Amino acid sequence: MTLTALLAIAAAAWWWHTHSPRHGAGASAAARARALRTPLVRLATALGIRTRAAALADRSDAGAAGERRTAARLAPLTHAGWKIFHDRALPTGRANVDHLAISPAGAVFLPDTKKWSADHPVLICAGRLLHGNEDVTGRLNGLRHETATVARVLGVPVTPIVVMDGPQLIGPHGRPATQLEFRGILIVPADRLTNHLTSRAHIPGQRRPADLAATITSDLPPYTRRHRG
């Protein structure tokens, strides 16, 4: 196959992927991956040339898969009266929130999926959050901003929860932990998320769940509908 034919195929695939409407959990991360895989990037990959854009696209795809797994774990809560939303756009800027969960009592939680390598544990040391030996404290700054913004939109407190998809959590004395609390943010293993939420299901909120859901629908729309292209 000629180089021209390869490029034409890559261009057609890129156009189809970037123009395909997709919504729901992981949609914006998947859209970032599709946008990064331009025809030239796809061609380079086909020729065995590794590019930074392709590596970033792979990371976005992994993040999208992690968000979809979190969504699958949250789905059964709807049978118990929870209201669940995924991949919602903030009112300004290009940030999004992965998930929002409203308990039957009206408490609001913001689970944020982190798909990090399972090769290294997550722990707190000397007031810093570490992933192995890497200081990842700053990676929670976006979550703090998102939580504060959603709280302003809804007019109620919002509890942030990091959903750690991959790494093991290490607590005091080097022992495995089922949760960590770091500067007001709860960090839990992905497979323990629903346990933590159901244990907090009866925490009273300040607004009716139906009213909160209506505000989210109107003021925090699906990210991929607000940001196209």
Side-chain angles (χ1 to χ4, degrees):
M1 186 176 293
T2 66
L3 181 61
T4 301
L6 281 172
L7 187 58
I9 292 171
W14 174 80
W15 188 95
W16 187 88
H17 281 292
T18 54
H19 289 75
S20 297
R22 295 172 188 172
H23 310 294
S28 59
R32 284 194 294 273
R34 294 194 299 272
L36 284 163
R37 291 193 178 98
T38 64
L40 286 176
V41 171
R42 289 177 178 273
L43 178 60
T45 300
L47 295 174
I49 302 170
R50 189 63 175 163
T51 63
R52 182 173 181 273
L56 291 174
D58 288 346
R59 286 177 55 185
S60 291
D61 274 337
E67 291 178 38
R68 288 192 289 268
R69 285 192 291 272
T70 297
R73 292 184 174 102
L74 290 171
L77 292 176
T78 60
H79 301 301
W82 288 71
K83 297 183 183 300
I84 308 295
F85 299 86
H86 306 292
D87 201 39
R88 313 302 287 198
L90 296 184
T92 59
R94 298 190 67 84
N96 72 301
V97 294
D98 292 348
H99 319 276
L100 286 169
I102 305 171
S103 77
V108 182
F109 301 89
L110 197 164
D112 184 73
T113 304
K114 300 296 185 188
K115 181 66 179 78
W116 295 351
S117 170
D119 293 339
H120 307 288
V122 170
L123 64 152
I124 299 169
C125 182
R128 310 296 292 179
L129 185 68
L130 303 181
H131 181 212
N133 293 323
E134 182 183 0
D135 187 338
V136 292
T137 302
R139 294 192 191 180
L140 299 190
N141 291 342
L143 177 56
R144 297 180 193 281
H145 166 70
E146 294 155 15
T147 302
T149 301
V150 173
R152 285 196 298 271
V153 170
L154 299 182
V156 299
V158 175
T159 301
I161 302 178
V162 170
V163 184
M164 199 58 68
D165 188 329
Q168 183 180 43
L169 305 186
I170 300 298
H173 311 298
R175 297 174 181 171
T178 58
Q179 71 175 61
L180 298 174
E181 187 167 349
F182 182 70
R183 300 182 183 178
I185 296 177
L186 186 65
I187 304 172
V188 303
D191 60 1
R192 300 280 300 177
L193 173 61
T194 53
N195 292 17
H196 286 278
L197 288 176
T198 53
S199 70
R200 294 162 172 77
H202 301 295
I203 296 175
Q206 297 180 6
R207 294 179 63 192
R208 294 192 311 137
D211 294 337
L212 291 167
T215 301
I216 290 172
T217 300
S218 62
D219 296 352
L220 301 171
Y223 186 90
T224 50
R225 290 180 184 169
R226 172 168 288 180
H227 302 285
R228 298 179 184 270

